Amino acid sequence: MAVDNDGIAVVTLQRPPVNSLNLDLLQAMNNTFDDVAKNKSKGMILTSASPTVFSAGLDIMEMYKPDPKRLETFWVTLQDMWLKLFGASFPTAAAINGHAPAGGCLIATSCEYRVMLSGKFTIGLNETALGIVPPTWIQDSLRHTIPTRQAEIALTTGKMFTVDEALKWRTNRGAEGAARLGPPVLEGPQMPPRSPDQILNKTLKMCLSPKMALDTGIIKLNALNEYLVTERTTIVDNAITFGIKKCNDMDINIQKRGRRKVGLIDETAADKAEAIEKCKKFIKRFDKIPSLARGMTKQIFRQEVLQKLLTNRQADTKQFLDLVNQPKIQQSLELYLAMLKQKSQK
Ligand SMILES: CCCCCC/C=C\CC(=O)SCCNC(=O)CCNC(=O)[C@H](O)C(C)(C)COP(=O)(O)OP(=O)(O)OC[C@H]1O[C@@H](n2cnc3c(N)ncnc32)[C@H](O)[C@@H]1OP(=O)(O)O
Protein backbone atom coordinates (compact mmCIF):
# COMPACT_ATOMS: atom_id res chain seq x y z
CA MET A 1 0.00 0.00 0.00
CA ALA A 2 1.24 3.52 -0.83
CA VAL A 3 -0.49 6.63 0.47
CA ASP A 4 -0.09 9.74 -1.71
CA ASN A 5 0.08 13.40 -0.62
CA ASP A 6 -3.68 13.71 -0.89
CA GLY A 7 -4.15 10.85 1.60
CA ILE A 8 -5.37 8.37 -1.03
CA ALA A 9 -4.15 4.79 -0.54
CA VAL A 10 -3.10 2.87 -3.64
CA VAL A 11 -3.21 -0.85 -2.89
CA THR A 12 -1.40 -3.04 -5.41
CA LEU A 13 -2.23 -6.75 -5.65
CA GLN A 14 1.05 -8.57 -6.06
CA ARG A 15 0.84 -12.34 -6.27
CA PRO A 16 2.49 -13.49 -9.51
CA PRO A 17 1.72 -14.69 -12.02
CA VAL A 18 -1.99 -13.77 -12.09
CA ASN A 19 -2.99 -12.47 -8.62
CA SER A 20 -5.20 -15.51 -8.03
CA LEU A 21 -6.88 -15.09 -4.66
CA ASN A 22 -5.51 -17.70 -2.26
CA LEU A 23 -5.90 -17.66 1.51
CA ASP A 24 -2.70 -15.66 2.08
CA LEU A 25 -3.60 -12.95 -0.43
CA LEU A 26 -7.13 -12.63 0.97
CA GLN A 27 -5.77 -12.31 4.51
CA ALA A 28 -3.29 -9.66 3.36
CA MET A 29 -6.10 -7.76 1.64
CA ASN A 30 -8.21 -7.85 4.79
CA ASN A 31 -5.34 -6.51 6.91
CA THR A 32 -4.70 -3.76 4.36
CA PHE A 33 -8.38 -2.72 4.23
CA ASP A 34 -8.35 -2.51 8.04
CA ASP A 35 -5.24 -0.30 7.87
CA VAL A 36 -6.82 2.00 5.29
CA ALA A 37 -9.84 2.42 7.57
CA LYS A 38 -7.67 2.99 10.66
CA ASN A 39 -5.41 5.53 8.90
CA LYS A 40 -8.48 7.52 7.90
CA SER A 41 -7.28 7.55 4.30
CA LYS A 42 -9.32 9.75 1.99
CA GLY A 43 -10.01 6.73 -0.19
CA MET A 44 -8.53 3.56 -1.63
CA ILE A 45 -7.60 2.53 -5.16
CA LEU A 46 -7.07 -1.15 -5.95
CA THR A 47 -4.77 -2.10 -8.80
CA SER A 48 -2.40 -4.88 -9.83
CA ALA A 49 1.36 -5.27 -10.19
CA SER A 50 0.84 -7.48 -13.25
CA PRO A 51 0.83 -5.69 -16.62
CA THR A 52 -1.93 -7.94 -18.02
CA VAL A 53 -4.00 -9.36 -15.16
CA PHE A 54 -5.92 -7.44 -12.50
CA SER A 55 -6.84 -10.71 -10.76
CA ALA A 56 -7.58 -14.20 -12.15
CA GLY A 57 -10.18 -14.70 -9.42
CA LEU A 58 -10.16 -17.40 -6.76
CA ASP A 59 -7.11 -19.62 -6.70
CA ILE A 60 -8.53 -22.86 -8.06
CA MET A 61 -5.82 -24.77 -6.15
CA GLU A 62 -7.58 -23.74 -2.91
CA MET A 63 -10.70 -25.59 -4.09
CA TYR A 64 -9.18 -28.57 -5.90
CA LYS A 65 -8.70 -31.61 -3.61
CA PRO A 66 -8.85 -29.25 -0.62
CA ASP A 67 -7.97 -29.68 3.02
CA PRO A 68 -11.40 -29.33 4.71
CA LYS A 69 -10.33 -26.94 7.49
CA ARG A 70 -8.33 -24.70 5.17
CA LEU A 71 -11.18 -24.65 2.64
CA GLU A 72 -13.58 -23.36 5.28
CA THR A 73 -11.10 -20.71 6.45
CA PHE A 74 -10.52 -19.75 2.81
CA TRP A 75 -14.23 -19.14 2.21
CA VAL A 76 -14.82 -17.25 5.46
CA THR A 77 -11.79 -15.06 4.63
CA LEU A 78 -13.25 -14.37 1.18
CA GLN A 79 -16.57 -13.40 2.77
CA ASP A 80 -14.67 -11.08 5.16
CA MET A 81 -12.80 -9.50 2.27
CA TRP A 82 -16.04 -8.78 0.44
CA LEU A 83 -17.81 -7.46 3.54
CA LYS A 84 -14.91 -5.09 4.21
CA LEU A 85 -14.56 -3.93 0.60
CA PHE A 86 -18.20 -3.71 -0.45
CA GLY A 87 -19.12 -2.20 2.92
CA ALA A 88 -16.13 0.16 3.27
CA SER A 89 -17.16 3.59 4.50
CA PHE A 90 -14.24 5.22 2.65
CA PRO A 91 -14.43 5.78 -1.14
CA THR A 92 -13.11 2.87 -3.20
CA ALA A 93 -12.10 2.63 -6.85
CA ALA A 94 -10.50 -0.03 -9.04
CA ALA A 95 -7.81 0.77 -11.61
CA ILE A 96 -8.31 -2.43 -13.60
CA ASN A 97 -5.07 -2.82 -15.51
CA GLY A 98 -5.75 -6.23 -17.05
CA HIS A 99 -8.10 -9.22 -17.12
CA ALA A 100 -10.63 -9.43 -14.31
CA PRO A 101 -12.50 -12.75 -14.48
CA ALA A 102 -14.72 -14.15 -11.69
CA GLY A 103 -13.25 -13.17 -8.30
CA GLY A 104 -11.29 -10.42 -10.12
CA CYS A 105 -14.57 -8.96 -11.31
CA LEU A 106 -16.00 -9.39 -7.80
CA ILE A 107 -13.24 -7.17 -6.36
CA ALA A 108 -13.83 -4.56 -9.07
CA THR A 109 -17.62 -4.52 -8.66
CA SER A 110 -17.26 -4.21 -4.89
CA CYS A 111 -15.60 -0.84 -5.44
CA GLU A 112 -17.60 2.31 -6.17
CA TYR A 113 -15.82 3.25 -9.41
CA ARG A 114 -13.99 1.34 -12.11
CA VAL A 115 -11.45 2.53 -14.68
CA MET A 116 -10.19 -0.19 -17.02
CA LEU A 117 -7.29 -0.12 -19.44
CA SER A 118 -8.30 -0.11 -23.10
CA GLY A 119 -7.05 -3.22 -24.86
CA LYS A 120 -7.79 -6.87 -25.27
CA PHE A 121 -8.78 -7.39 -21.65
CA THR A 122 -11.99 -8.90 -20.37
CA ILE A 123 -14.06 -8.62 -17.22
CA GLY A 124 -17.03 -10.61 -15.95
CA LEU A 125 -18.40 -13.31 -13.69
CA ASN A 126 -17.76 -16.44 -15.75
CA GLU A 127 -18.53 -19.00 -13.03
CA THR A 128 -21.50 -20.68 -14.73
CA ALA A 129 -19.35 -21.30 -17.81
CA LEU A 130 -17.04 -23.29 -15.52
CA GLY A 131 -19.99 -25.23 -14.10
CA ILE A 132 -20.00 -23.44 -10.76
CA VAL A 133 -22.74 -21.38 -9.19
CA PRO A 134 -21.86 -17.90 -7.92
CA PRO A 135 -23.43 -17.38 -4.48
CA THR A 136 -26.06 -14.70 -3.87
CA TRP A 137 -23.69 -12.01 -2.61
CA ILE A 138 -21.38 -12.41 -5.61
CA GLN A 139 -24.37 -12.13 -7.93
CA ASP A 140 -25.55 -9.14 -5.89
CA SER A 141 -22.28 -7.30 -6.50
CA LEU A 142 -22.92 -7.45 -10.24
CA ARG A 143 -26.59 -6.62 -9.87
CA HIS A 144 -25.58 -3.62 -7.81
CA THR A 145 -23.41 -2.38 -10.68
CA ILE A 146 -25.35 -3.06 -13.90
CA PRO A 147 -29.08 -3.28 -14.68
CA THR A 148 -30.76 -6.40 -13.25
CA ARG A 149 -31.77 -7.86 -16.59
CA GLN A 150 -28.27 -7.47 -18.00
CA ALA A 151 -26.81 -8.94 -14.82
CA GLU A 152 -29.05 -12.01 -15.09
CA ILE A 153 -28.08 -12.63 -18.70
CA ALA A 154 -24.39 -12.02 -17.95
CA LEU A 155 -24.46 -14.39 -14.97
CA THR A 156 -26.41 -17.20 -16.62
CA THR A 157 -24.22 -17.10 -19.74
CA GLY A 158 -20.95 -16.62 -17.85
CA LYS A 159 -20.36 -13.55 -20.01
CA MET A 160 -16.89 -12.04 -20.18
CA PHE A 161 -17.18 -8.45 -21.40
CA THR A 162 -14.64 -6.76 -23.62
CA VAL A 163 -13.60 -3.32 -22.39
CA ASP A 164 -15.83 -1.65 -24.95
CA GLU A 165 -18.86 -3.76 -24.01
CA ALA A 166 -18.23 -3.10 -20.33
CA LEU A 167 -18.20 0.68 -20.73
CA LYS A 168 -21.12 2.72 -19.67
CA TRP A 169 -23.49 4.09 -22.22
CA ARG A 170 -22.67 7.58 -23.38
CA THR A 171 -24.68 9.68 -25.80
CA ASN A 172 -22.73 12.89 -25.68
CA ARG A 173 -20.23 13.01 -28.51
CA GLY A 174 -20.65 16.84 -28.59
CA ALA A 175 -17.33 18.21 -29.74
CA GLU A 176 -16.45 15.26 -31.97
CA GLY A 177 -19.85 15.31 -33.69
CA ALA A 178 -19.89 19.06 -34.10
CA ALA A 179 -16.44 18.96 -35.64
CA ARG A 180 -17.69 16.39 -38.13
CA LEU A 181 -20.57 18.66 -39.16
CA GLY A 182 -18.01 21.42 -39.37
CA PRO A 183 -18.15 25.04 -40.45
CA PRO A 184 -20.76 26.29 -42.97
CA VAL A 185 -20.62 24.06 -46.02
CA LEU A 186 -21.40 26.63 -48.69
CA GLU A 187 -19.48 29.76 -49.60
CA GLY A 188 -21.62 32.88 -49.59
CA PRO A 189 -23.46 35.40 -47.45
CA GLN A 190 -24.14 34.41 -43.82
CA MET A 191 -27.17 35.18 -41.71
CA PRO A 192 -27.08 37.40 -38.58
CA PRO A 193 -27.28 35.35 -35.35
CA ARG A 194 -30.76 34.18 -34.34
CA SER A 195 -32.20 31.61 -31.98
CA PRO A 196 -32.22 28.01 -33.30
CA ASP A 197 -36.03 27.93 -33.30
CA GLN A 198 -36.24 31.14 -35.32
CA ILE A 199 -33.72 29.76 -37.79
CA LEU A 200 -35.48 26.44 -38.15
CA ASN A 201 -38.92 27.98 -38.62
CA LYS A 202 -37.64 30.42 -41.21
CA THR A 203 -35.77 27.68 -43.03
CA LEU A 204 -38.85 25.51 -43.16
CA LYS A 205 -40.95 28.36 -44.52
CA MET A 206 -38.39 29.16 -47.20
CA CYS A 207 -37.97 25.55 -48.21
CA LEU A 208 -41.72 25.30 -48.72
CA SER A 209 -41.77 28.37 -50.94
CA PRO A 210 -41.64 27.49 -54.70
CA LYS A 211 -39.51 30.50 -55.66
CA MET A 212 -36.36 30.59 -53.64
CA ALA A 213 -33.38 32.59 -54.94
CA LEU A 214 -30.03 30.75 -54.91
CA ASP A 215 -28.45 33.28 -52.51
CA THR A 216 -31.34 32.98 -50.09
CA GLY A 217 -31.14 29.21 -50.29
CA ILE A 218 -27.45 29.34 -49.39
CA ILE A 219 -28.17 31.62 -46.41
CA LYS A 220 -30.85 29.23 -45.25
CA LEU A 221 -28.72 26.14 -45.67
CA ASN A 222 -25.91 27.78 -43.71
CA ALA A 223 -28.38 28.72 -41.01
CA LEU A 224 -29.67 25.16 -40.84
CA ASN A 225 -26.13 23.85 -40.61
CA GLU A 226 -25.42 26.30 -37.79
CA TYR A 227 -28.50 25.10 -35.98
CA LEU A 228 -27.44 21.47 -36.33
CA VAL A 229 -23.94 22.28 -35.07
CA THR A 230 -25.04 24.27 -32.02
CA GLU A 231 -27.93 22.01 -31.02
CA ARG A 232 -26.44 18.71 -32.08
CA THR A 233 -26.11 17.19 -28.62
CA THR A 234 -29.75 17.91 -27.78
CA ILE A 235 -30.95 16.64 -31.15
CA VAL A 236 -28.91 13.40 -30.83
CA ASP A 237 -29.99 12.86 -27.20
CA ASN A 238 -33.65 13.37 -28.08
CA ALA A 239 -33.36 11.03 -31.06
CA ILE A 240 -31.68 8.34 -28.93
CA THR A 241 -34.26 8.67 -26.14
CA PHE A 242 -37.03 8.38 -28.72
CA GLY A 243 -35.26 5.41 -30.36
CA ILE A 244 -34.79 3.57 -27.07
CA LYS A 245 -38.46 4.04 -26.20
CA LYS A 246 -39.49 2.70 -29.61
CA CYS A 247 -37.11 -0.28 -29.26
CA ASN A 248 -38.45 -1.04 -25.78
CA ASP A 249 -42.06 -0.77 -27.04
CA MET A 250 -41.20 -3.22 -29.82
CA ASP A 251 -39.20 -5.50 -27.47
CA ILE A 252 -36.00 -5.01 -29.48
CA ASN A 253 -32.74 -5.74 -27.63
CA ILE A 254 -30.83 -2.47 -27.91
CA GLN A 255 -27.52 -3.95 -26.79
CA LYS A 256 -27.47 -6.23 -29.83
CA ARG A 257 -27.77 -3.14 -32.00
CA GLY A 258 -24.45 -1.99 -30.60
CA ARG A 259 -25.51 1.35 -29.12
CA ARG A 260 -26.15 0.44 -25.56
CA LYS A 261 -23.24 -0.39 -23.33
CA VAL A 262 -23.55 -2.02 -20.00
CA GLY A 263 -21.88 0.19 -17.39
CA LEU A 264 -19.75 -2.50 -15.78
CA ILE A 265 -16.87 -0.03 -15.93
CA ASP A 266 -17.11 3.76 -15.72
CA GLU A 267 -14.15 4.90 -17.81
CA THR A 268 -11.22 3.62 -19.81
CA ALA A 269 -7.58 4.69 -19.62
CA ALA A 270 -4.56 4.34 -21.88
CA ASP A 271 -2.27 3.09 -19.13
CA LYS A 272 -2.12 2.28 -15.43
CA ALA A 273 -0.95 5.76 -14.40
CA GLU A 274 -3.92 7.33 -16.19
CA ALA A 275 -6.30 4.79 -14.65
CA ILE A 276 -5.02 5.65 -11.17
CA GLU A 277 -5.29 9.37 -11.92
CA LYS A 278 -8.92 8.94 -13.00
CA CYS A 279 -9.69 6.94 -9.87
CA LYS A 280 -8.11 9.71 -7.77
CA LYS A 281 -10.26 12.27 -9.54
CA PHE A 282 -13.33 10.22 -8.61
CA ILE A 283 -12.26 10.05 -4.95
CA LYS A 284 -11.53 13.79 -4.87
CA ARG A 285 -15.14 14.45 -5.88
CA PHE A 286 -15.95 13.80 -2.23
CA ASP A 287 -13.49 16.41 -0.90
CA LYS A 288 -16.25 18.82 0.03
CA ILE A 289 -18.70 16.19 1.30
CA PRO A 290 -18.59 15.47 5.05
CA SER A 291 -17.06 11.97 5.23
CA LEU A 292 -19.43 10.67 7.93
CA ALA A 293 -22.51 11.59 5.90
CA ARG A 294 -20.95 10.13 2.74
CA GLY A 295 -19.87 6.89 4.39
CA MET A 296 -23.18 6.32 6.16
CA THR A 297 -25.17 7.04 3.02
CA LYS A 298 -23.08 4.49 1.11
CA GLN A 299 -23.51 1.89 3.83
CA ILE A 300 -27.27 2.42 3.98
CA PHE A 301 -27.38 2.11 0.19
CA ARG A 302 -25.48 -1.21 0.37
CA GLN A 303 -26.99 -2.43 3.64
CA GLU A 304 -29.58 -4.83 2.23
CA VAL A 305 -27.00 -6.75 0.20
CA LEU A 306 -24.48 -6.81 3.06
CA GLN A 307 -27.09 -7.89 5.58
CA LYS A 308 -28.14 -10.83 3.42
CA LEU A 309 -24.68 -12.37 3.74
CA LEU A 310 -24.28 -11.42 7.40
CA THR A 311 -27.52 -13.20 8.27
CA ASN A 312 -26.78 -16.26 6.12
CA ARG A 313 -23.05 -16.60 6.59
CA GLN A 314 -23.07 -20.12 7.99
CA ALA A 315 -25.53 -21.41 5.42
CA ASP A 316 -23.49 -19.76 2.67
CA THR A 317 -20.31 -21.42 3.94
CA LYS A 318 -22.00 -24.82 4.15
CA GLN A 319 -23.36 -24.44 0.64
CA PHE A 320 -19.88 -23.62 -0.68
CA LEU A 321 -18.25 -26.56 1.14
CA ASP A 322 -20.94 -28.98 -0.10
CA LEU A 323 -20.60 -27.70 -3.64
CA VAL A 324 -16.81 -27.90 -3.77
CA ASN A 325 -16.83 -31.41 -2.36
CA GLN A 326 -19.14 -32.72 -5.05
CA PRO A 327 -17.26 -35.18 -7.32
CA LYS A 328 -18.66 -33.43 -10.40
CA ILE A 329 -17.28 -30.06 -9.28
CA GLN A 330 -13.90 -31.61 -8.48
CA GLN A 331 -13.90 -33.12 -11.95
CA SER A 332 -14.72 -29.72 -13.53
CA LEU A 333 -11.97 -28.00 -11.54
CA GLU A 334 -9.46 -30.69 -12.60
CA LEU A 335 -10.36 -30.27 -16.25
CA TYR A 336 -10.23 -26.49 -15.98
CA LEU A 337 -6.81 -26.55 -14.30
CA ALA A 338 -5.51 -28.89 -17.00
CA MET A 339 -6.88 -26.58 -19.68
CA LEU A 340 -5.18 -23.55 -18.06
CA LYS A 341 -1.88 -25.45 -17.78
CA GLN A 342 -2.06 -26.55 -21.39
CA LYS A 343 -2.82 -22.99 -22.50
CA SER A 344 0.04 -21.51 -20.47
CA GLN A 345 2.51 -24.04 -21.96
CA LYS A 346 1.66 -23.07 -25.55
C1 LIG B 1 -16.84 -24.22 -6.48
C2 LIG B 1 -17.78 -23.15 -6.02
C3 LIG B 1 -17.16 -21.82 -6.13
C4 LIG B 1 -18.15 -20.75 -5.91
C5 LIG B 1 -17.49 -19.44 -5.83
C6 LIG B 1 -17.42 -18.74 -7.09
C7 LIG B 1 -16.60 -17.50 -7.03
C8 LIG B 1 -15.54 -17.25 -7.76
C9 LIG B 1 -14.99 -18.31 -8.63
C10 LIG B 1 -13.62 -18.03 -9.18
O1 LIG B 1 -13.06 -16.96 -9.06
S1 LIG B 1 -12.92 -19.36 -9.91
C11 LIG B 1 -11.58 -18.72 -10.82
C12 LIG B 1 -12.04 -18.32 -12.14
N1 LIG B 1 -10.95 -17.74 -12.88
C13 LIG B 1 -10.80 -17.92 -14.17
O2 LIG B 1 -11.58 -18.56 -14.82
C14 LIG B 1 -9.58 -17.30 -14.80
C15 LIG B 1 -8.63 -18.37 -15.23
N2 LIG B 1 -7.41 -17.77 -15.77
C16 LIG B 1 -7.34 -17.20 -16.98
O3 LIG B 1 -8.30 -17.12 -17.72
C17 LIG B 1 -5.99 -16.69 -17.39
O4 LIG B 1 -5.04 -17.21 -16.53
C18 LIG B 1 -5.90 -15.14 -17.37
C19 LIG B 1 -6.37 -14.57 -16.04
C20 LIG B 1 -6.73 -14.55 -18.51
C21 LIG B 1 -4.42 -14.75 -17.57
O5 LIG B 1 -3.92 -15.33 -18.74
P1 LIG B 1 -2.34 -15.44 -18.94
O6 LIG B 1 -2.14 -15.96 -20.30
O7 LIG B 1 -1.68 -14.17 -18.57
O8 LIG B 1 -1.86 -16.47 -17.83
P2 LIG B 1 -1.99 -18.05 -17.89
O9 LIG B 1 -0.85 -18.57 -18.69
O10 LIG B 1 -3.34 -18.46 -18.27
O11 LIG B 1 -1.81 -18.43 -16.36
C22 LIG B 1 -0.53 -18.38 -15.71
C23 LIG B 1 -0.51 -19.42 -14.60
O12 LIG B 1 -1.53 -19.10 -13.65
C24 LIG B 1 -2.41 -20.22 -13.49
N3 LIG B 1 -3.76 -19.71 -13.21
C25 LIG B 1 -4.49 -18.87 -13.92
N4 LIG B 1 -5.64 -18.61 -13.32
C26 LIG B 1 -5.66 -19.31 -12.18
C27 LIG B 1 -6.61 -19.45 -11.11
N5 LIG B 1 -7.76 -18.78 -11.09
N6 LIG B 1 -6.29 -20.24 -10.10
C28 LIG B 1 -5.12 -20.93 -10.08
N7 LIG B 1 -4.18 -20.84 -11.06
C29 LIG B 1 -4.46 -20.03 -12.09
C30 LIG B 1 -2.31 -20.96 -14.82
O13 LIG B 1 -2.69 -22.28 -14.66
C31 LIG B 1 -0.84 -20.80 -15.12
O14 LIG B 1 -0.15 -21.72 -14.32
P3 LIG B 1 1.19 -22.44 -14.80
O15 LIG B 1 0.82 -23.30 -15.97
O16 LIG B 1 2.13 -21.33 -15.19
O17 LIG B 1 1.65 -23.24 -13.63
Side-chain angles (χ1 to χ4, degrees), residues 40 42 94 103 148 154 171 248 279:
K40 296 206 180 331
K42 192 189 272 185
T148 307
T171 61
N248 285 340
C279 288

Side-chain angles (χ1 to χ4, degrees), residues 265-293:
I265 58 169
D266 298 287
E267 287 190 75
T268 55
D271 55 34
K272 182 171 160 180
E274 192 191 352
I276 291 177
E277 238 4 88
K278 286 185 170 179
C279 288
K280 284 188 180 174
K281 209 167 154 194
F282 167 74
I283 291 171
K284 285 180 188 166
R285 275 195 215 168
F286 302 111
D287 276 358
K288 293 202 172 93
I289 309 287
S291 61
L292 187 65

Side-chain angles (χ1 to χ4, degrees), residues 76-112:
V76 171
T77 311
L78 177 71
Q79 291 172 336
D80 277 338
M81 187 280 289
W82 179 78
L83 289 165
K84 284 175 199 285
L85 184 57
F86 191 81
S89 59
F90 49 81
T92 54
I96 312 166
N97 55 326
H99 295 289
C105 177
L106 173 71
I107 302 174
T109 51
S110 302
C111 294
E112 287 157 66

Side-chain angles (χ1 to χ4, degrees), residues 294-312:
R294 195 212 90 88
M296 283 181 71
T297 305
K298 173 181 169 184
Q299 282 171 329
I300 291 169
F301 198 75
R302 296 181 171 216
Q303 184 60 27
E304 199 184 320
V305 175
L306 290 162
Q307 196 55 48
K308 239 194 278 176
L309 175 61
L310 286 169
T311 340
N312 294 308

Side-chain angles (χ1 to χ4, degrees), residues 18-57:
V18 288
N19 282 331
S20 60
L21 305 168
N22 72 344
L23 180 58
D24 296 347
L25 180 55
L26 288 169
Q27 280 169 340
M29 287 168 79
N30 286 343
N31 292 338
T32 308
F33 298 165
D34 288 344
D35 288 346
V36 173
K38 259 189 250 145
N39 296 346
K40 296 206 180 331
S41 297
K42 192 189 272 185
M44 179 179 77
I45 297 167
L46 276 175
T47 191
S48 153
S50 155
T52 54
V53 184
F54 177 66
S55 165

Side-chain angles (χ1 to χ4, degrees), residues 56 58-60 101-103 126-127 132 323 336 340-341 343-344:
L58 301 193
D59 189 333
I60 295 168
N126 62 338
E127 284 84 347
I132 51 183
L323 190 70
Y336 194 58
L340 282 175
K341 279 252 163 318
K343 190 195 89 159
S344 82

